[in-house]
Amino acid sequence: MANTALEFREALAQCRGIFEKKLQDYGASWRIMRPCSITDQIYIKAKRIRTLETERESMVDEGILPEFIAIVNYGIVGLIQLQLGYVDAPDMDAAQALALYDEWADRTFNLMLAKNHDYGEAWRSMRVYSYTDLILTKLARTKQIEDHQGVTVVSEGIDANYMDIINYAVFAIIKLS
């Protein structure tokens, strides 16, 4: 029997490994990004995945899996930026960035556990295409909330949408790995 918690942690570790290597290359340059720019960056990744899924031809030698990993990492960056706000110049070292990454990865993991319990492992019966479409839908909702300066009437906020996006991307990583 599959162990969702273990598979999820392994996929998150894969994403964290890439995040850590990018920190070595670029530092925490993402601290400059406003949340709306992060939303757009995630959109670019999700749109590329959808194009590759429908066109089945890639002009750039990168597949779908790295894009889902990027979505996870940008989603966690988005959560950090919502928490701390953006800055004009990078203001943290790799250890601080990784500690924040781990904090948000754990919070997102715990949300997945609760939802997975309530939904009875439904994600396992879904197609990867559906995760892409759900991510794009969550992004459209996030953009709408951003356009309303974060104010919602009854809906969850930007942070909840980012966490759902991360969870769908991790499910895709598990299925593609």
Side-chain angles (χ1 to χ4, degrees):
M1 181 170 169
N3 183 335
T4 297
L6 178 63
E7 290 173 302
F8 201 93
R9 285 283 191 205
E10 288 172 353
L12 275 177
Q14 182 180 4
C15 296
R16 187 187 190 277
I18 298 294
F19 183 81
E20 187 171 16
K21 287 176 183 167
K22 295 229 179 201
L23 275 173
Q24 291 172 8
D25 289 345
Y26 308 126
S29 59
W30 47 265
R31 287 286 292 129
I32 295 168
M33 295 178 78
R34 291 173 284 187
C36 59
S37 297
I38 294 166
T39 300
D40 286 343
Q41 186 63 32
I42 296 168
Y43 173 79
I44 290 167
K45 300 296 184 183
K47 184 66 175 160
R48 181 168 187 270
I49 292 167
R50 189 169 183 168
T51 300
L52 292 175
E53 288 171 345
T54 56
E55 301 295 324
R56 301 198 186 278
E57 179 183 0
S58 175
M59 301 292 284
V60 178
D61 191 25
E62 294 177 2
I64 291 172
L65 182 61
E67 300 294 6
F68 278 116
I69 291 169
I71 287 172
V72 170
N73 288 339
Y74 275 114
I76 291 174
V77 163
L79 290 165
I80 294 168
Q81 294 299 82
L82 287 172
Q83 176 187 10
L84 300 180
Y86 62 92
V87 294
D88 291 329
D91 62 347
M92 67 177 61
D93 62 25
Q96 293 168 307
L98 288 168
L100 288 164
Y101 185 100
D102 292 341
E103 174 188 333
W104 282 106
D106 286 343
R107 289 171 78 169
T108 303
F109 172 77
N110 289 328
L111 175 66
M112 179 282 299
L113 289 176
K115 286 188 172 187
N116 193 47
H117 173 271
D118 290 356
Y119 287 95
E121 298 265 316
W123 72 272
R124 289 196 181 275
S125 299
M126 295 171 64
R127 298 173 185 98
V128 173
Y129 298 141
S130 295
Y131 304 135
T132 305
D133 292 349
L134 287 165
I135 289 168
L136 287 166
T137 300
K138 292 283 184 180
L139 288 166
R141 292 175 182 176
T142 300
K143 286 182 179 192
Q144 189 73 21
I145 294 168
E146 289 170 345
D147 290 346
H148 293 140
Q149 285 69 51
V151 177
T152 61
V153 178
V154 297
S155 303
E156 296 176 308
I158 295 168
D159 57 340
N161 281 289
Y162 277 160
M163 285 194 269
D164 286 345
I165 288 166
I166 292 164
N167 285 333
Y168 289 132
V170 172
F171 290 152
I173 292 165
I174 292 168
K175 283 206 163 194
L176 293 169
S177 296

